[in-house]
Amino acid sequence: MPYFDHNATTPLDPIARETWLRANDEHWHNPSSLYRDAAKARIRMDNARARLAEYLGAAEKEIVFTSGATESVHAALAHLAAQAGPEAEIAVNRTEHSAVLSAARRWFGSRIRWLNTDRNGVLLWPELEEKARGSHAVVVMAANNETGAIQPWEKIAEFCGRHHLPYVCDAAQWLGKLPCGGLAEADWVFGSGHKFGAPKGVGFLKISSSARAFSTQPGGAQENGHRGGTEDLPSIWAMVEILAEAEHRKVLLESERLTWRKQFEDQVTREIAGVRVIGAEADRLWNTVSLLMPFGASQRWIAQLDKLGFQISNGSACATRKEESSHVIAAMGYSGDDAQRILRISSGWETKRTDWTALAEALTAVAPDLKATEATGVIKV
Ligand code: PLP
């Protein structure tokens, strides 16, 4: 079944699966125990940490393995809030994932300076410069989960470095899709393994080199004292192994995949009059397309395509469940009515060019019925 919802989660990659099974067979011991088999597990943990640090350009001691992006951002912002005075404000991009927005509101309440984007979902630079100055930290993602829009994170890291401002960067949708070298230029960076082929429930937070007494949760002395709790070595190892695979081999295919995405967009906009690609003029991830359909509620398109064997989405899985319309689309200046007609399509490395073509054909095939239903109000069963 062609799966086009990779930004929600990815299938377990065969390499990650094999690594996970092997680690469970060979290194199931507690890495903190004192006998030799436990030491072997500990060596594996250290090795995974060193490799991840190297890919990001970080120091090993800055890597904390966590359960994923949500835990990581809460821990990072809780720490920053505790360090800051009660008056401190942070600058936060409006199109962040709801996990990040919730953490910002939880730890900084109303002390948030909102950063706006243009119609393509890319930050307005002069505003960032102005609002970042005098704030306690800057929070801007590397790439957006709904539109794929890429933010100028390298430039933000450089700016924040110059102004001694902590920069918190959500790399959940960047990792495994594009090279991750240089991400550690941001003080705080985090990701979730299940977004790039690793098991669910494992991720990491790269902490600031100047963070003192940082802790996500008290407990044992695991993770250099930053996060208590027995580590899930099989998942950590699998996550780093699959990231290595992406770094060394997969990201080299980016330009080919960008072409496939572009061909899909051309085909759909040609075949269905009035379709618009959200963020069309921005640099976007090779795997993500957000379409504004001219008619038909998103749920109806999703249901029709599901019947034809295609799995797509209308935005962030977290927001879908709460039945909210997308805050990302609204922040980009689209109306509430537009937000009801958004389709998010996100491919994976295993997606073939023919899958993209077949999806474009399926959208074209269901369009007349959806248009007729909208005109008559009669649903065809
Ligand atoms: N940040 C982004 C950009 C995401 O896409 C997601 C998941 O959709 C998250 C954070 C939260 O990740 P998790 O649910 O794995 O904690």
Side-chain angles (χ1 to χ4, degrees):
M1 193 168 195
Y3 177 69
F4 277 97
D5 199 14
H6 287 76
N7 288 5
T9 197
T10 55
L12 188 63
D13 186 278
I15 292 176
R17 184 173 182 275
E18 195 189 309
T19 308
W20 188 88
L21 288 170
R22 197 174 141 207
N24 269 302
D25 285 345
E26 296 174 11
H27 299 296
W28 50 268
H29 304 84
N30 190 325
S32 301
S33 298
L34 296 179
Y35 31 81
R36 283 173 299 165
D37 278 343
K40 286 182 192 156
R42 198 159 53 248
I43 289 166
R44 279 283 167 204
M45 282 278 306
D46 293 346
N47 177 264
R49 196 182 312 280
R51 287 167 75 198
L52 178 57
E54 191 187 330
Y55 292 135
L56 297 171
E60 279 173 53
K61 63 178 183 348
E62 292 165 9
I63 303 293
V64 181
F65 291 116
T66 65
S67 65
T70 304
E71 176 191 332
S72 299
V73 66
H74 274 267
L77 294 189
H79 178 83
L80 287 166
Q83 304 277 303
E87 308 295 316
E89 297 183 337
I90 50 166
V92 181
N93 164 32
R94 274 192 200 278
T95 63
E96 294 297 298
H97 186 272
S98 58
V100 176
L101 297 182
S102 310
R105 291 194 178 104
R106 177 170 188 192
W107 300 107
F108 285 84
S110 58
R111 292 175 288 123
I112 300 175
R113 300 178 182 183
W114 292 109
L115 301 172
N116 295 300
T117 70
D118 63 17
R119 187 86 172 164
N120 285 300
V122 180
L123 272 182
L124 298 171
W125 187 262
E127 190 193 73
L128 177 128
E129 280 192 328
E130 185 196 316
K131 291 189 176 164
R133 284 204 185 92
S135 69
H136 184 66
V138 174
V139 183
V140 181
M141 67 205 324
N144 187 270
N145 47 300
E146 293 189 33
T147 64
I150 291 175
Q151 299 294 358
W153 59 265
E154 280 149 310
K155 197 172 161 190
I156 301 171
E158 193 272 324
F159 173 85
C160 288
R162 227 171 341 109
H163 294 274
H164 308 291
L165 275 168
Y167 172 29
V168 182
C169 181
D170 176 354
Q173 295 293 348
W174 180 282
L175 291 156
K177 295 183 182 116
L178 290 171
C180 63
L183 272 172
E185 292 300 315
D187 302 85
W188 302 81
V189 181
F190 55 91
S192 255
H194 73 105
K195 303 290 185 188
F196 54 93
K200 290 163 190 45
V202 65
F204 74 89
L205 170 65
K206 179 256 169 229
I207 65 173
S208 166
S209 56
S210 60
R212 300 275 167 269
F214 170 80
S215 166
T216 68
Q217 54 193 33
Q222 294 93 348
E223 297 299 297
N224 296 317
H226 296 309
R227 183 180 190 263
T230 305
E231 298 96 336
D232 179 358
L233 171 62
S235 298
I236 290 169
W237 189 7
M239 173 174 72
V240 174
E241 202 61 37
I242 194 63
L243 188 65
E245 174 69 10
E247 285 296 301
H248 294 303
R249 278 211 278 279
K250 293 179 176 169
V251 296
L252 303 177
L253 303 171
E254 187 208 349
S255 65
E256 177 196 54
R257 301 306 164 101
L258 266 175
T259 311
W260 296 358
R261 193 205 71 195
K262 181 79 180 69
Q263 285 168 348
F264 167 81
E265 290 168 1
D266 290 347
Q267 193 175 345
V268 174
T269 46
R270 204 172 47 237
E271 301 287 336
I272 309 174
V275 174
R276 277 153 66 193
V277 177
I278 303 278
E281 282 147 42
D283 274 346
R284 284 175 292 127
L285 294 171
W286 55 264
N287 81 318
T288 310
V289 183
S290 177
L291 295 176
L292 172 54
M293 305 311 282
F295 47 80
S298 322
Q299 287 87 340
R300 307 227 25 246
W301 284 96
I302 293 167
Q304 294 297 325
L305 286 159
D306 195 11
K307 284 186 205 157
L308 296 179
F310 296 88
Q311 295 166 331
I312 64 165
S313 132
N314 59 347
S316 166
C318 308
T320 310
R321 284 275 153 236
K322 286 194 241 156
E323 294 180 335
E324 290 166 357
S325 68
S326 163
H327 67 274
V328 173
I329 301 299
M332 289 166 68
Y334 289 90
S335 69
D337 184 46
D338 289 341
Q340 303 302 318
R341 286 182 280 111
I342 298 287
L343 301 182
R344 179 185 71 178
I345 291 150
S346 51
S347 66
W349 290 114
E350 79 281 6
T351 309
K352 301 186 208 61
R353 191 168 68 83
T354 47
D355 293 331
W356 280 108
T357 316
L359 176 61
E361 283 163 6
L363 282 161
T364 310
V366 300
D369 266 2
L370 284 168
K371 189 172 183 182
T373 309
E374 186 137 297
T376 60
V378 178
I379 298 175
K380 210 170 134 187
V381 282

